[in-house]
Amino acid sequence: MTTPFPFTAVVGQDDLRLALLLNAVSPAVGGVLVRGEKGTAKSTAVRALSALLPEVAVVPGCRFSCDPAAPDPGCPDGPHEAAAGATRPARMVELPVGASEDRLVGALDIERALAEGVKAFEPGLLADAHRGILYVDEVNLLHDHLVDLLLDAAAMGASYVEREGVSVRHAARFLLVGTMNPEEGELRPQLLDRFGLTVEVAASREPEQRVEVVRRRLAYDDDPAGFAAGWAREEAEVRARVVAARELLPHVRLGDGALLRIAATCAAFEVDGMRADIVMARTATALAAWAGRTDVLAEDVRQAALLALPHRRRRNPFDAPGLDEDKLDETLDRFPDDDLDERGGRNDRTDDGDGDEDPDPDGPGGPGGGGGLPPQDGPESGEPPSGEAPAPADPAESKAEGEGGRPAGAGEQSAVRAAEPFRTKVLSVPGLGEGAAGRRSRARTEHGRTTGARRPRGALTKLHLAATVQAAAPHQHARARSGPGLVVRRDDLRQATREGREGNLVLFVVDASGSMAARQRMSAVKGAVLSLLLDAYQRRDKVGLVTFRGSGADVALPPTSSVDAAAARLEALPTGGRTPLGAGLLKAHDVLRVERLRDPARRPLVVVVTDGRATGGTEPVAFAGRAARLFAAEGTASVVVDCERGPVRLGLAGRLAGELGGTAVTLDELRADSIAGLVREVQGDRRAA
C-alpha cells in the first residue's frame, strides 16, 4: 500500500485542513466542497485525512461494514448476532468521474432474479465508504443524477436500490469530500447547498512558502516511508485530538445566544431554506469540541459562517462565491456577550480573555485551527481580488472603414457593459442524440420515459417487462416440460430504451466589428449572449466563444463547462474594425472539428450573433457564403441572432441563416414563445432524409 503524504505536512491551506478536521470530529456537519485551481494540494489533503481517522470495528465477513456493537438490522448480509468484531483502518473510497449508477449504489442481478429466483446484490462504492470517507474528485463533472444519488445517501445515511420490484437497502454513512476546479464548470445551487462546508484554496504567492512546498514534496517522493516517519509524532497528536474532540462533542452546549447569532447571520445573508442554520450550528459545536471547550462562543459562530455560507450565497453562475466579512461582523456585533463568557472575538482568542482586543479576521484556520498542526507561514488561501468592472465605452460610433484591426487605436472601442440578461426560450438540436445527460435536446438516455425495447448490450440495467414476456411467449409450448407458469430465459430478456434530454455544445460566434458597435448595439448583443449563456448553464451544456473583428477571428474561449468563464471573456470583449465574417465561421468550423474527435456523442449548436455584414478580406461576401455552406453540408444545427436594428434593414442575417441551413431570429424574438420549433422546421427534412 502506498504511504500517504502526512496531513500535518501540508503547507498552508489552514481553512481546508480545519474544515476536514471538523468533519472528522462530527460527520453530521455534512462534508466539504473544496474549490480551487489545479495543483493546490486538494487531493493530497483529502487522502491524508484518512490516516488520521480512528480504526473502526466491523462484523467479520459483512460487506457493509456493520458495527458489531450496533449492527444494522436491515443489513443485506444480516441479521448479525452481537459478538466481538474485527478492527480495520477507516477507508477512503474514491468515486471516479466516469462511474456508472450501478458502480455507485450497487448492482442487482436482474437476470438471476427473474431466471433463477435469486436476489443477488453486489455492493457499490456507497457500501464500501460506510463509516469512512467518500472522495469525489472533480465532483462538478459528475453526471447530475449521480450527484443526486450521492447527496441523497449522504443526507439519509442509507442507500436504496429499487429494480423491477426488488428492493435492497443498506446503511451508508460517510464523510463526503468533493473537490472541483471552478474553471471547468459549476455545480447547481441546489447541489452546492447539500455540501455542509466549502473552502476556497489557492497557491501561495509567497516565495518562501512555495519553496517549502517543493522541498517537502521532493523529500516525500524520494522516500515516502521515511518522510512519513518524520511526521509521525505530529500525526499522532492530531489523531489523539480528533478522538478527544469526538468524545467531548456530546457534552458541548449550544446556548440560546449562539443560536440567535446563527439565525440572525443566515437571515442577514438571505440564504434559502434552513439547512444553513443547521449546518452552522453543527459546525460551531464541532469547533468548540476541537478547541477543547464545552461552550460555543461567538468566535465559533463567526468561523462557522465563513465555512458554511459562501456557497449558499451563490444564486446564479455569474455570482462570485464569498462572504462579506464586514457585514458578518456587523450582524454578530448586534448581540452582546451573554452570561456564558462569550467574548466577541473573531478568529483569535487571547489567553487573558480580554474582549476589548482588536479582532483578527485573518487568523489562521479559526479557533484552534492551528492546534496540533505544525505552524505554517504565508497568507491565507482566500479569494483573489476581483477587478473593477470595465467602464462603458464612448457612445460615438466606430469607424469600421479603416485598416482597423486588433490593436487599440483608430476604429476600436473599449469593452462595454452587457445589458441586463433576460429569460430566453429553448434553442435545441433536432433529431435524437446519445450525448451526455442534460436538459436541452432529445436523446436516448438511461433516465427518462420508456420508448421501446432492445436486446441487452452487456449487463441488463432497465428491464422492459412487456417486451420480455412477449419474447418468451412463443417458446412456452416447448418449455412446458420445465414446469407450470411462464418460463423466462436469458435470451428473452429485453432492455428498456428511454428518452430524455442531453446537453449540447453551444458554440457562440460573436461579431465584434465596428458595425456592431454602432448605435451602442454591442451592449444589447452582450446582454443577449449572456442570457443564452445562463440558459446553457441551466441546461448542462458545454459552451465555447469565437469572436471576429478586424482582420481575423479568435477562439476567445475553447469549449468548456464553465459558463462564468465565458461570461468574463464576453464582458471584456472590445469592438472595432472590419467584419471578417468568413474567418469567424471557418474558425468555428475548426473548433467543432476538434470537439467531434474529443467527444463525438455531444452534438453542437452554433449560435452566430451578427448583423450579417461581411467586409473583411478578399471577396468577403462570397467567402462568408462558402464558409456557411460547410455547416449546412454537415447538418450542424445553427441559429443566427440578427442584431440589425433601425427603420432600414438589409436582411443580411436572414441570408446567412439560409446558407447555414438554420434560421434567423432578432434580438427581440429571443423572448418569443418558441425558437426551438423554428430550428426543427428548417432542419427536420434533412434529418428525415
Side-chain angles (χ1 to χ4, degrees):
M1 180 179 177
T2 304
T3 304
F5 192 90
F7 185 83
T8 50
V10 175
V11 178
Q13 310 298 11
D14 298 303
D15 287 344
L16 170 59
R17 294 188 297 158
L18 178 62
L20 292 173
L21 288 170
L22 292 178
N23 274 272
V25 171
S26 175
V29 166
V32 186
L33 176 64
V34 187
R35 297 164 44 91
E37 59 196 27
K38 52 188 177 291
T40 49
K42 300 190 297 292
S43 301
T44 299
V46 176
R47 292 188 176 98
L49 178 67
S50 61
L52 296 180
L53 299 182
E55 290 192 339
V56 296
V58 296
V59 174
C62 178
R63 298 174 297 168
F64 301 89
S65 302
C66 280
D67 186 350
D72 181 9
C75 176
D77 284 355
H80 301 298
E81 296 182 0
T87 60
R88 61 162 176 78
R91 290 175 180 161
M92 193 201 74
V93 177
E94 294 192 44
L95 175 63
V97 171
S100 64
E101 180 180 343
D102 286 346
R103 185 72 185 98
L104 176 64
V105 302
L108 189 63
D109 195 333
I110 302 296
E111 297 180 13
R112 291 188 63 190
L114 291 177
E116 304 174 21
V118 177
K119 187 170 80 172
F121 179 71
E122 184 65 28
L125 295 177
L126 292 180
D128 293 341
H130 180 46
R131 303 175 69 198
I133 301 174
L134 182 60
Y135 172 50
V136 189
D137 194 14
E138 306 295 353
V139 65
N140 53 323
L141 302 183
L142 202 64
H143 284 178
D144 283 347
H145 74 281
L146 293 183
V147 178
D148 287 331
L149 289 171
L150 178 65
L151 295 177
D152 283 343
M156 296 186 297
S159 175
Y160 295 84
V161 182
E162 303 282 348
R163 296 285 174 79
E164 311 303 333
V166 181
S167 176
V168 175
R169 176 220 164 267
H170 64 82
R173 292 183 295 276
F174 46 81
L175 193 167
L176 176 63
V177 182
T179 61
M180 60 176 283
N181 184 347
E183 294 178 357
E184 296 173 337
E186 287 287 351
L187 279 171
R188 286 181 286 159
Q190 301 94 317
L191 299 180
L192 284 172
D193 185 52
R194 300 292 289 275
F195 281 94
L197 309 180
T198 187
V199 177
E200 296 278 341
V201 297
S204 171
R205 299 299 183 257
E206 293 293 328
E208 294 81 3
Q209 196 172 48
R210 297 175 74 95
V211 166
E212 186 61 23
V213 171
V214 174
R215 182 182 291 117
R216 293 186 187 183
R217 186 70 209 190
L218 294 178
Y220 170 78
D221 291 341
D222 289 341
D223 182 11
F227 182 82
W231 291 87
R233 182 177 61 83
E234 290 83 354
E235 293 282 283
E237 289 175 357
V238 176
R239 188 180 299 109
R241 188 173 176 187
V242 169
V243 173
R246 283 187 173 187
E247 294 175 351
L248 182 62
L249 186 66
H251 306 288
V252 175
R253 192 178 81 87
L254 186 66
D256 290 341
L259 282 172
L260 187 58
R261 287 185 172 95
I262 290 170
T265 302
C266 292
F269 285 98
E270 299 179 351
V271 295
D272 295 331
M274 295 297 298
R275 184 175 282 117
D277 302 63
I278 297 171
V279 171
M280 275 190 64
R282 290 171 174 167
T283 305
T285 303
L287 280 163
W290 176 247
R293 291 185 267 101
T294 56
D295 293 321
V296 174
L297 306 183
E299 60 194 42
D300 299 326
V301 175
R302 185 181 194 276
Q303 184 64 47
L306 292 175
L307 294 173
L309 295 187
H311 58 305
R312 294 182 167 90
R313 290 277 299 146
R314 190 180 178 97
R315 300 301 178 94
N316 67 65
F318 310 132
D319 288 341
L323 207 64
D324 184 343
E325 295 194 32
D326 290 337
K327 181 177 179 180
L328 174 61
D329 291 338
E330 291 174 3
T331 303
L332 295 176
D333 288 343
R334 297 206 319 259
F335 300 92
D337 296 341
D338 58 22
D339 58 357
L340 296 179
D341 188 30
E342 289 190 2
R343 294 177 295 273
R346 296 302 174 243
N347 275 356
D348 286 359
R349 214 167 36 95
T350 58
D351 292 335
D352 58 4
D354 184 4
D356 294 329
E357 181 168 343
D358 290 338
D360 178 13
D362 297 320
L373 301 177
Q376 305 291 348
D377 297 325
E380 291 284 322
S381 55
E383 289 182 59
S386 57
E388 293 184 0
D394 183 5
E397 294 184 9
S398 173
K399 303 296 184 182
E401 290 77 13
E403 287 294 321
R406 316 273 175 96
E412 179 174 311
Q413 294 186 11
S414 59
V416 300
R417 289 182 180 274
E420 280 297 315
F422 52 85
R423 191 173 191 81
T424 67
K425 298 303 179 181
V426 183
L427 296 166
S428 64
V429 178
L432 196 62
E434 294 183 346
R439 294 186 176 183
R440 184 171 296 278
S441 305
R442 295 172 54 227
R444 298 183 184 91
T445 61
E446 288 295 321
H447 301 271
R449 64 185 182 89
T450 301
T451 58
R454 59 172 174 79
R455 288 182 178 274
R457 300 168 189 166
L460 178 70
T461 56
K462 302 291 184 181
L463 178 72
H464 194 296
L465 186 58
T468 298
V469 172
Q470 187 175 6
H475 307 288
Q476 294 308 299
H477 181 71
R479 298 174 186 174
R481 67 174 70 92
S482 299
L486 179 68
V487 179
V488 178
R489 296 181 179 171
R490 293 183 184 273
D491 290 342
D492 304 325
L493 299 177
R494 294 294 182 269
Q495 173 84 24
T497 58
R498 296 172 180 258
E499 182 179 311
R501 294 279 168 176
E502 67 176 359
N504 297 108
L505 166 60
V506 181
L507 182 62
F508 295 94
V509 186
V510 180
D511 182 352
S513 64
S515 64
M516 293 289 287
R519 290 181 286 276
Q520 304 182 47
R521 187 186 302 167
M522 201 61 195
S523 177
V525 168
K526 285 187 176 182
V529 177
L530 197 64
S531 303
L532 291 168
L533 282 171
L534 181 58
D535 180 69
Y537 164 77
Q538 294 169 341
R539 299 186 187 283
R540 316 292 177 259
D541 295 315
K542 290 180 69 174
V543 296
L545 180 62
V546 173
T547 64
F548 58 94
R549 66 183 181 91
S551 59
D554 292 310
V555 180
L557 183 71
T560 176
S561 297
S562 178
V563 295
D564 49 347
R569 303 291 175 88
L570 179 72
E571 189 71 25
L573 179 66
T575 59
R578 294 186 179 273
T579 312
L581 176 57
L585 294 175
L586 283 183
K587 182 67 71 173
H589 187 269
D590 288 343
V591 171
L592 293 185
R593 178 179 56 81
V594 174
E595 282 302 303
R596 285 191 182 100
L597 297 176
R598 292 176 177 170
D599 189 359
R602 189 181 289 271
R603 298 186 294 161
L605 173 64
V606 178
V607 180
V608 185
V609 185
T610 181
D611 57 8
R613 297 172 186 266
T615 61
T618 306
E619 296 184 348
V621 176
F623 180 48
R626 290 194 297 270
R629 287 190 286 274
L630 290 176
F631 292 87
E634 295 174 353
T636 303
S638 59
V639 174
V640 178
V641 179
D642 184 359
C643 301
E644 193 173 28
R645 287 186 169 182
V648 179
R649 303 191 182 190
L650 302 178
L652 298 177
R655 298 179 195 174
L656 175 63
E659 292 177 318
L660 284 167
T663 188
V665 294
T666 66
L667 289 173
D668 293 334
E669 287 173 341
L670 283 176
R671 308 173 189 262
D673 290 338
S674 177
I675 293 174
L678 299 175
V679 180
R680 295 192 186 98
E681 278 181 14
V682 173
Q683 304 218 1
D685 294 340
R686 182 187 300 110
R687 300 288 297 187

